[in-house]
Amino acid sequence: MPPFPASNPSRAVVLGSTSPYRRELLSRLRLPFTVEPPQVDETPARGETPLALARRLAAAKAAAVARLHPDAVVIGSDQVADLDGEPLGKPGTHANAVAQLRRMSGRTVVFQTALTVLCDATGFAQHDLAPVRVRFRALDDAEIEAYLRAEQPYDCAGSAKSEGLGVALLEAIESDDPTALVGLPLIRTCRMLRAAGVRVL
Protein backbone atom coordinates (compact mmCIF):
# COMPACT_ATOMS: atom_id res chain seq x y z
CA MET A 1 0.00 0.00 0.00
CA PRO A 2 1.44 3.42 -0.94
CA PRO A 3 2.32 5.78 1.94
CA PHE A 4 -0.13 8.34 0.59
CA PRO A 5 -3.52 7.68 -1.02
CA ALA A 6 -3.44 7.88 -4.79
CA SER A 7 -5.09 10.94 -6.26
CA ASN A 8 -8.07 10.39 -8.51
CA PRO A 9 -8.20 13.16 -11.11
CA SER A 10 -11.34 13.29 -13.20
CA ARG A 11 -9.26 13.80 -16.34
CA ALA A 12 -5.85 12.69 -17.51
CA VAL A 13 -3.04 15.15 -16.83
CA VAL A 14 -0.41 15.75 -19.52
CA LEU A 15 2.78 17.75 -19.06
CA GLY A 16 3.73 19.47 -22.30
CA SER A 17 7.48 19.59 -21.87
CA THR A 18 10.84 18.10 -22.78
CA SER A 19 12.38 19.23 -19.47
CA PRO A 20 13.48 16.54 -17.00
CA TYR A 21 13.36 19.21 -14.29
CA ARG A 22 9.66 19.93 -14.85
CA ARG A 23 8.90 16.21 -14.98
CA GLU A 24 10.63 15.70 -11.62
CA LEU A 25 8.83 18.67 -10.07
CA LEU A 26 5.38 17.56 -11.24
CA SER A 27 6.05 14.04 -9.94
CA ARG A 28 6.30 15.52 -6.42
CA LEU A 29 2.52 15.98 -6.48
CA ARG A 30 2.07 12.18 -6.77
CA LEU A 31 -0.46 12.66 -9.56
CA PRO A 32 -0.60 10.22 -12.46
CA PHE A 33 0.51 12.10 -15.57
CA THR A 34 2.08 11.55 -18.95
CA VAL A 35 4.57 13.69 -20.84
CA GLU A 36 4.16 14.93 -24.40
CA PRO A 37 6.95 16.95 -26.01
CA PRO A 38 5.40 20.08 -27.56
CA GLN A 39 6.37 20.94 -31.11
CA VAL A 40 6.90 24.67 -30.67
CA ASP A 41 9.44 27.06 -32.22
CA GLU A 42 11.05 28.84 -29.25
CA THR A 43 12.76 31.56 -31.28
CA PRO A 44 12.07 35.00 -29.76
CA ALA A 45 10.17 37.44 -31.96
CA ARG A 46 11.90 40.69 -32.86
CA GLY A 47 11.68 43.06 -29.91
CA GLU A 48 9.89 40.51 -27.72
CA THR A 49 10.51 41.01 -24.00
CA PRO A 50 11.56 38.08 -21.81
CA LEU A 51 8.23 38.24 -19.96
CA ALA A 52 6.22 38.23 -23.18
CA LEU A 53 8.35 35.40 -24.60
CA ALA A 54 7.85 33.22 -21.51
CA ARG A 55 4.08 33.82 -21.54
CA ARG A 56 3.78 33.12 -25.27
CA LEU A 57 5.80 29.91 -25.16
CA ALA A 58 4.01 28.51 -22.10
CA ALA A 59 0.66 29.07 -23.83
CA ALA A 60 1.93 27.73 -27.15
CA LYS A 61 3.30 24.55 -25.56
CA ALA A 62 0.06 23.87 -23.73
CA ALA A 63 -2.03 24.56 -26.85
CA ALA A 64 0.12 22.31 -29.05
CA VAL A 65 -0.24 19.39 -26.65
CA ALA A 66 -3.94 20.07 -25.96
CA ARG A 67 -4.63 19.61 -29.68
CA LEU A 68 -3.23 16.08 -29.37
CA HIS A 69 -5.00 15.37 -26.05
CA PRO A 70 -8.24 17.39 -26.15
CA ASP A 71 -9.83 15.56 -23.19
CA ALA A 72 -6.82 15.99 -20.91
CA VAL A 73 -5.76 18.76 -18.58
CA VAL A 74 -2.52 20.01 -20.12
CA ILE A 75 0.28 21.89 -18.39
CA GLY A 76 2.63 24.13 -20.35
CA SER A 77 5.46 26.14 -18.82
CA ASP A 78 8.42 28.19 -19.96
CA GLN A 79 11.19 30.14 -18.30
CA VAL A 80 13.28 32.99 -19.66
CA ALA A 81 16.12 34.63 -17.77
CA ASP A 82 15.70 38.42 -17.94
CA LEU A 83 18.80 40.61 -17.59
CA ASP A 84 17.74 44.25 -17.89
CA GLY A 85 15.06 43.34 -20.43
CA GLU A 86 17.29 41.06 -22.51
CA PRO A 87 16.43 37.34 -22.67
CA LEU A 88 19.18 34.91 -21.74
CA GLY A 89 18.62 31.44 -23.12
CA LYS A 90 20.17 28.08 -22.32
CA PRO A 91 23.92 28.42 -22.87
CA GLY A 92 24.40 25.07 -24.62
CA THR A 93 28.21 25.27 -24.37
CA HIS A 94 30.83 25.93 -21.72
CA ALA A 95 32.00 29.13 -23.40
CA ASN A 96 28.47 30.54 -23.54
CA ALA A 97 27.90 29.65 -19.89
CA VAL A 98 31.10 31.44 -18.86
CA ALA A 99 29.95 34.53 -20.77
CA GLN A 100 26.51 34.44 -19.16
CA LEU A 101 27.83 34.10 -15.62
CA ARG A 102 30.35 36.90 -16.17
CA ARG A 103 27.50 39.17 -17.30
CA MET A 104 25.32 38.22 -14.32
CA SER A 105 28.08 38.59 -11.75
CA GLY A 106 27.03 41.07 -9.08
CA ARG A 107 23.68 41.73 -10.75
CA THR A 108 20.01 40.82 -10.35
CA VAL A 109 18.36 38.57 -12.94
CA VAL A 110 14.61 38.01 -13.09
CA PHE A 111 13.68 34.47 -14.11
CA GLN A 112 10.29 34.86 -15.81
CA THR A 113 8.51 31.53 -15.27
CA ALA A 114 5.18 31.35 -17.08
CA LEU A 115 2.49 28.70 -16.66
CA THR A 116 -0.58 27.73 -18.70
CA VAL A 117 -3.13 25.03 -17.92
CA LEU A 118 -5.66 24.09 -20.61
CA CYS A 119 -8.41 21.59 -21.27
CA ASP A 120 -9.90 21.80 -24.75
CA ALA A 121 -12.87 19.57 -23.88
CA THR A 122 -14.10 21.90 -21.13
CA GLY A 123 -12.78 25.18 -22.50
CA PHE A 124 -10.70 25.67 -19.36
CA ALA A 125 -7.73 28.01 -19.75
CA GLN A 126 -5.66 29.75 -17.11
CA HIS A 127 -2.35 31.57 -17.39
CA ASP A 128 -0.03 32.86 -14.68
CA LEU A 129 3.48 34.16 -14.14
CA ALA A 130 5.85 33.40 -11.26
CA PRO A 131 8.78 35.83 -11.54
CA VAL A 132 11.85 35.04 -9.44
CA ARG A 133 14.43 37.72 -8.61
CA VAL A 134 17.91 36.25 -8.23
CA ARG A 135 20.88 38.29 -6.98
CA PHE A 136 24.24 36.89 -8.06
CA ARG A 137 27.38 37.42 -5.99
CA ALA A 138 30.37 39.13 -7.55
CA LEU A 139 32.02 36.11 -9.16
CA ASP A 140 35.63 35.71 -10.21
CA ASP A 141 36.67 33.59 -13.17
CA ALA A 142 38.04 30.80 -10.97
CA GLU A 143 34.67 30.41 -9.21
CA ILE A 144 32.81 30.42 -12.51
CA GLU A 145 35.14 27.79 -13.98
CA ALA A 146 34.99 25.58 -10.89
CA TYR A 147 31.20 25.72 -10.81
CA LEU A 148 30.71 24.98 -14.50
CA ARG A 149 33.16 22.06 -14.44
CA ALA A 150 31.38 20.59 -11.44
CA GLU A 151 27.76 20.94 -12.54
CA GLN A 152 27.77 21.56 -16.33
CA PRO A 153 24.41 23.41 -16.30
CA TYR A 154 24.41 23.97 -20.06
CA ASP A 155 20.71 23.12 -20.42
CA CYS A 156 19.60 25.72 -17.84
CA ALA A 157 18.59 29.29 -18.62
CA GLY A 158 21.08 31.50 -16.82
CA SER A 159 23.74 28.78 -16.52
CA ALA A 160 23.09 27.96 -12.85
CA LYS A 161 21.15 25.29 -10.97
CA SER A 162 19.91 26.81 -7.74
CA GLU A 163 18.81 23.39 -6.51
CA GLY A 164 22.42 22.22 -6.65
CA LEU A 165 25.86 23.79 -6.33
CA GLY A 166 24.64 26.87 -8.18
CA VAL A 167 23.23 28.18 -4.91
CA ALA A 168 26.84 29.05 -3.98
CA LEU A 169 26.83 31.66 -6.75
CA LEU A 170 23.93 33.59 -5.24
CA GLU A 171 23.26 36.33 -2.70
CA ALA A 172 19.48 35.97 -2.57
CA ILE A 173 16.37 34.50 -4.20
CA GLU A 174 13.04 36.32 -3.97
CA SER A 175 9.93 34.33 -4.92
CA ASP A 176 6.46 33.48 -3.63
CA ASP A 177 6.53 30.06 -5.34
CA PRO A 178 9.74 28.23 -4.35
CA THR A 179 9.99 25.76 -7.24
CA ALA A 180 9.47 28.39 -9.94
CA LEU A 181 13.20 28.93 -10.33
CA VAL A 182 13.71 25.24 -11.12
CA GLY A 183 11.13 25.51 -13.91
CA LEU A 184 7.60 24.79 -12.65
CA PRO A 185 5.82 26.86 -9.96
CA LEU A 186 4.07 24.12 -8.04
CA ILE A 187 1.90 26.35 -5.84
CA ARG A 188 0.38 27.91 -8.95
CA THR A 189 0.24 24.54 -10.70
CA CYS A 190 -1.77 23.04 -7.84
CA ARG A 191 -4.12 26.02 -7.80
CA MET A 192 -4.75 25.80 -11.54
CA LEU A 193 -5.16 22.01 -11.54
CA ARG A 194 -7.78 22.30 -8.81
CA ALA A 195 -9.58 24.97 -10.82
CA ALA A 196 -9.52 22.61 -13.83
CA GLY A 197 -11.19 19.89 -11.75
CA VAL A 198 -8.17 17.75 -10.90
CA ARG A 199 -8.02 16.42 -7.34
CA VAL A 200 -4.52 17.17 -6.12
CA LEU A 201 -5.10 15.73 -2.64
Side-chain angles (χ1 to χ4, degrees), residues 17-22 38 40 42 44 53 57 61 77-82 87-101 104 111 148 152-161 182-183:
S17 179
T18 58
S19 166
Y21 308 108
R22 291 192 180 98
V40 171
E42 299 190 23
L53 175 60
L57 291 180
K61 290 175 181 180
S77 185
D78 194 78
Q79 183 181 82
V80 180
D82 181 345
L88 300 178
K90 299 172 184 175
T93 67
H94 184 84
N96 288 342
V98 168
Q100 280 193 355
L101 289 174
M104 295 186 296
F111 287 79
L148 292 177
Q152 302 182 15
Y154 307 134
D155 61 345
C156 297
S159 304
K161 293 182 181 180
V182 185

Side-chain angles (χ1 to χ4, degrees), residues 160-178:
K161 293 182 181 180
S162 65
E163 68 275 25
L165 182 59
V167 75
L169 306 176
L170 310 180
E171 288 282 2
I173 298 172
E174 301 170 20
S175 173
D176 65 358
D177 206 332

Side-chain angles (χ1 to χ4, degrees), residues 21-154:
Y21 308 108
R22 291 192 180 98
R23 180 188 298 216
E24 189 278 326
L25 286 169
L26 188 58
S27 71
R28 295 182 191 182
L29 301 183
R30 301 182 180 227
L31 284 171
F33 71 94
T34 57
V35 177
E36 180 77 46
Q39 303 301 315
V40 171
D41 181 359
E42 299 190 23
T43 305
R46 183 184 298 273
E48 191 171 31
T49 66
L51 187 153
L53 175 60
R55 285 186 186 276
R56 177 175 64 82
L57 291 180
K61 290 175 181 180
V65 173
R67 285 192 289 271
L68 301 175
H69 303 275
D71 291 322
V73 174
V74 176
I75 301 166
S77 185
D78 194 78
Q79 183 181 82
V80 180
D82 181 345
L83 180 61
D84 296 334
E86 178 186 343
L88 300 178
K90 299 172 184 175
T93 67
H94 184 84
N96 288 342
V98 168
Q100 280 193 355
L101 289 174
R102 282 176 175 166
R103 289 189 62 197
M104 295 186 296
S105 173
R107 302 178 71 183
T108 295
V109 179
V110 180
F111 287 79
Q112 306 285 8
T113 307
L115 177 68
T116 292
V117 174
L118 299 177
C119 180
D120 276 0
T122 63
F124 179 87
Q126 281 192 3
H127 312 271
D128 207 345
L129 185 75
V132 183
R133 294 176 60 82
V134 177
R135 293 204 314 271
F136 282 80
R137 292 189 305 104
L139 306 171
D140 61 40
D141 283 352
E143 288 178 308
I144 290 173
E145 188 69 20
Y147 169 67
L148 292 177
R149 293 298 181 191
E151 201 149 63
Q152 302 182 15
Y154 307 134

